[in-house]
Amino acid sequence: MSSRAHRSARHGRRSRRGVRTPVIAAAVATVAALGAAWAGTQALQSPGTTTASSGASAEVRSEGELAPGTVFVPPADPSSGPAAPSAAAPAPASPAAAGSSAGTSPSPAGSKPAAAAAAPAAPAKPAASAPKTTAKAAFTPGYDSAADGRQALDAALRAAAADGKQVLLDFGANWCGNCKAADKVFGQSPTNALLSDSYHLVKIDIGGQNSANFSILRTYSSGGGSYKMPVLIVLGPSGTVRTDTHQTGNPALTADGLGSFLRQWS
């Protein structure tokens, strides 16, 4: 009787342990599932992510992380090496030099030599000089996202090498309020006259995530990161940087502020 009672008690304890084991396993599985769901929620709520496209990574930031009127420019890819500033194209050869080089070429076979004693040509009458005009080129506000920034810059550098003017690079975006304020001042007659007399203006869009335009900006304004727009950079006729408002800060975007800036670096 006593041994039967002991066997019954042991059997009861084994039964309770058999029931407890699946309950504990189910609780562990539930905790693991809740942990995975929490981790996924945290990943979705992360403010910044990194994406890769065509082998190059670009940092994507939410608008709330940047101050109004700024744009994030990712740093240059170290494997690509530093970009070199554009150089002005060499000046074309003068007509006299072209003529002298042409004169050294041999004459075609069978050609007759020119007559030695040619009659002197009658002196040409001086052409009437064109009337001088003071009209200034119309200023176009905004940034053309489809324009080739490098091509426009190279053309401006060639023109600056020929006439000695400065090159004003204006990096901005069509959605930037500060850029619109600067454009309004640039379009006013006194400021536009300063621009036309002393500068070749090149406006480059950096609001549309154009990697080629970012590369131009990094060439003349070192590094990467957040840029407060507009970024105004003055280049000398040889293409050297004279001033960069990413480093110095923008002048007041008024007629007096931008006028003083243009006169200072003209």
Side-chain angles (χ1 to χ4, degrees), residues 90-238:
S94 64
S100 63
S101 61
T104 58
S105 59
S107 301
S111 61
K112 296 181 180 180
K125 294 182 180 180
S129 58
K132 294 182 178 180
T133 177
T134 56
K136 304 297 181 183
F139 172 75
T140 303
Y143 302 85
D144 185 357
S145 59
D148 188 326
R150 175 60 63 183
Q151 184 178 3
L153 173 57
D154 289 344
L157 287 172
R158 287 194 296 269
D163 58 23
K165 293 183 180 181
Q166 315 301 305
V167 175
L168 176 61
L169 301 180
D170 178 356
F171 295 91
N174 291 317
W175 47 261
C176 169
N178 288 339
C179 302
K180 294 177 182 179
D183 273 356
K184 185 176 180 180
V185 177
F186 284 148
Q188 295 172 359
S189 297
T191 313
N192 187 247
L194 286 172
L195 276 174
S196 300
D197 290 341
S198 302
Y199 294 90
H200 295 287
L201 176 63
V202 180
K203 295 173 69 65
I204 299 178
D205 176 44
I206 56 172
Q209 304 298 309
N210 185 314
S211 60
N213 290 347
F214 283 164
S215 177
I216 299 172
L217 176 59
R218 286 192 300 262
T219 297
Y220 296 99
S221 184
S222 61
S226 298
Y227 286 80
K228 185 176 182 180
M229 299 181 291
V231 181
L232 303 177
I233 300 176
V234 176
L235 307 179
S238 63

Side-chain angles (χ1 to χ4, degrees), residues 3-145:
S3 62
R4 189 179 299 115
H6 285 307
R7 283 197 301 271
S8 177
R10 285 197 299 271
H11 177 71
R13 286 195 294 272
R14 283 198 299 269
S15 299
R16 286 194 295 274
R17 284 198 297 270
V19 172
R20 190 182 306 137
T21 300
V23 172
I24 293 174
V28 170
T30 302
V31 171
L34 290 175
W38 180 84
T41 303
Q42 291 298 105
L44 291 174
Q45 292 177 349
S46 176
T49 59
T50 301
T51 60
S53 175
S54 301
S57 61
E59 185 170 351
V60 180
R61 294 193 172 194
S62 63
E63 293 182 1
E65 292 185 54
L66 296 176
T70 62
V71 64
F72 179 79
V73 178
D77 183 2
S79 62
S80 63
S86 298
S94 64
S100 63
S101 61
T104 58
S105 59
S107 301
S111 61
K112 296 181 180 180
K125 294 182 180 180
S129 58
K132 294 182 178 180
T133 177
T134 56
K136 304 297 181 183
F139 172 75
T140 303
Y143 302 85
D144 185 357
S145 59

